[in-house]
Amino acid sequence: MSILDGYRVLDVSVAMAGPLAAMRLGDLGADVVKVEPVTGEWQRHTAAGGATGNEVNASFLSLNRNKRSLAVDLKSAEGREVVHELVKSADVFLQNYRPGVAARLGLDYDTLRALKPDLIYVSISGYGETGPYADWPGQDLLVQAMSGALFSAGRPDEPPVAAPYFLADAVTAYSAFEGVLAALLHRERTGEGQFVQVNMLDAVIALQMQELSVHTVGGIPQTRSDEVHAHSYIRAPYGIFTTADGYLSLAFANLPVLAEVLDAPQLAGLDAERDGFTRRDEIAAAVSNALRRESTDHWLHKLRERGVWCGPVLSYADVRSDPQVLHNGSFVTYEHPTEGAVTTPGFPYRFSRTPAEVRRPAPLVGEHTDELLAELGLSSEQRQALLQQGAVVSP
């Protein structure tokens, strides 16, 4: 039995943050019903990296396993009625509509809790449900830029560099996932449902708990460095350095030890906790010059031998064949009816008694519409009528 077996989640979200949160609930055993338009959710039509697939692109596959698809026209009264009936059997309703859209569709919290008083209703937004930015587009890069984080790394005379993956979306997804689990626990104890709000900006700000506290409590400003440095609030050397044949990551090194290993005597008399902050550029430059003399493997061996924290810099291709990744089983492979063997990142947690698993591949548009309508008690004739009206679609 899976941890969330017996719970039903209605996922009416699009793009990444909402679908990823819902997928994680599905990975733990919840029955996740993806309620999408009759033409399919937005992510089906937006192929990240051009990975279009046969019928289902990689983006959609990556965010929608362990779900059933109900394709329904929410602008029709008949379509809304179907979803309202589903709400009565649901535990969680998750949406990331623009402000006002849920109410226009009759899918706002007040409407749905009248149908299911103990419903946990999760609303994900870019910047909050209200306020001066409520109507702004909540896109990952824009939120990263507004979170303050990008001025903590890089050189002062160069533009800040954003994370090369959808950081804000991912953090928001896990915040929503955490919120659902906490709300379910509260409901188990009290019988009460509730309205859970998560926004991308707050999620990324909260992620920077340590850095922003250094600023707000310690009063220390963000100061970017002229030399290689990955984090304005961590002492040098700290970052990705060039070697004779590639790159090497280096963190929190003991400077006298580093002086010996790198044959860089100028580092020998320095104190990491004092000089690592005040002489950051000088230290980084000395380390950069030294590391360029030998290969990455040479330095990894020498530095690790002396207990210095360092590591290789891997590409996606490298990660796929990395021994620790293979040992961990970090990726999962399953069969999809149109895409064949699909390999994607697996699960970020391990349970000794209730392991996560792929029970369903990402669905085709409306693949489970008929199945779900039958579960609601609709007769074959009633289901056929909804199909003919265009209120729902089924392949």
Side-chain angles (χ1 to χ4, degrees):
M1 180 177 176
S2 300
I3 290 175
L4 296 181
D5 186 47
Y7 290 95
R8 173 170 283 178
V9 177
L10 301 189
D11 174 19
V12 192
S13 64
V14 301
M16 179 175 171
L20 176 56
M23 187 181 81
R24 287 290 177 238
L25 296 168
D27 289 346
L28 293 184
D31 174 23
V32 180
V33 178
K34 185 172 186 66
V35 180
E36 54 183 324
V38 294
T39 55
E41 194 243 295
W42 175 84
Q43 191 73 270
R44 290 186 185 274
H45 310 291
T46 306
T52 55
N54 297 319
E55 290 187 35
V56 185
N57 66 44
S59 304
F60 189 88
L61 287 172
S62 70
L63 299 166
N64 290 284
R65 68 182 177 221
N66 288 331
K67 299 181 184 181
R68 295 192 285 171
S69 170
L70 170 69
V72 57
D73 180 7
L74 289 173
K75 294 180 180 178
S76 71
E78 296 84 359
R80 287 194 296 274
E81 181 60 28
V82 167
V83 176
H84 284 175
E85 284 300 311
L86 268 177
V87 166
K88 295 175 184 178
S89 65
D91 300 284
V92 178
F93 184 91
L94 192 154
Q95 57 92 347
N96 59 354
Y97 290 126
R98 296 186 310 278
V101 172
R104 290 200 298 272
L105 293 174
L107 297 176
D108 54 294
Y109 176 56
D110 288 337
T111 298
L112 298 191
R113 76 169 169 177
L115 301 171
K116 185 76 185 310
D118 65 349
L119 182 69
I120 293 163
Y121 185 106
V122 183
S123 178
I124 298 174
S125 63
Y127 307 95
E129 305 278 327
T130 59
Y133 302 161
D135 292 323
W136 287 15
Q139 193 277 332
D140 190 281
L141 178 62
L142 309 185
V143 173
Q144 284 192 48
M146 293 176 64
S147 73
L150 304 192
F151 282 102
S152 283
R155 294 182 169 89
D157 58 345
E158 297 176 357
V161 177
Y165 54 97
F166 297 118
L167 172 67
D169 278 318
V171 173
T172 304
Y174 277 95
S175 298
F177 175 61
E178 179 182 334
V180 169
L181 296 181
L184 283 173
L185 178 59
H186 174 78
R187 196 182 74 168
E188 292 295 324
R189 290 172 167 171
T190 67
E192 297 175 341
Q194 60 181 303
F195 183 31
V196 180
Q197 298 181 67
V198 176
N199 76 72
M200 297 172 72
L201 183 60
D202 282 350
V204 181
I205 288 174
L207 182 69
Q208 300 173 79
M209 178 66 68
Q210 186 171 205
E211 291 82 0
L212 279 166
S213 295
V214 169
H215 177 74
T216 60
V217 178
I220 298 175
Q222 288 170 293
T223 306
R224 296 199 290 169
S225 304
D226 291 324
E227 295 293 334
V228 173
H229 202 66
H231 194 302
S232 65
Y233 291 140
I234 294 179
R235 59 179 171 81
Y238 189 80
I240 307 301
F241 295 86
T242 300
T243 65
D245 65 350
Y247 303 97
L248 179 141
S249 56
L250 184 65
F252 298 113
N254 177 295
L255 293 178
V257 169
L258 205 59
E260 292 179 34
V261 177
L262 300 184
D263 189 22
Q266 64 269 48
L267 302 176
L270 301 181
D271 176 85
E273 286 302 318
R274 181 192 64 240
D275 301 315
F277 292 102
T278 60
R279 302 172 69 174
R280 202 159 62 191
D281 283 341
E282 178 185 340
I283 292 168
V287 171
S288 291
N289 292 334
L291 288 174
R292 291 176 186 273
R293 297 197 303 261
E294 301 286 351
S295 70
T296 298
D297 283 345
H298 170 88
W299 290 124
L300 287 174
H301 174 73
K302 292 292 185 181
L303 292 167
R304 285 174 171 168
E305 196 173 54
R306 296 296 302 276
V308 176
W309 292 4
C310 61
V313 180
L314 304 181
S315 68
Y316 281 168
D318 297 328
V319 169
R320 288 285 304 278
S321 59
D322 181 78
Q324 186 65 46
V325 171
L326 294 174
H327 171 79
N328 289 347
S330 303
F331 289 81
V332 295
T333 299
Y334 61 87
E335 288 297 319
H336 189 277
T338 63
E339 307 310 307
V342 172
T343 298
T344 62
F347 315 107
Y349 25 62
R350 303 284 189 272
F351 296 99
S352 62
R353 296 178 62 86
T354 54
E357 60 180 338
V358 179
R359 303 182 315 283
R360 298 177 181 273
L364 303 176
V365 181
E367 181 177 346
H368 306 95
T369 296
D370 193 66
E371 176 183 308
L372 286 159
L373 294 178
E375 288 179 12
L376 290 178
L378 275 68
S379 67
S380 176
E381 292 76 14
Q382 289 172 311
R383 303 199 301 272
Q384 189 62 35
L386 286 172
L387 287 167
Q388 290 175 347
Q389 292 164 358
V392 299
V393 299
S394 181

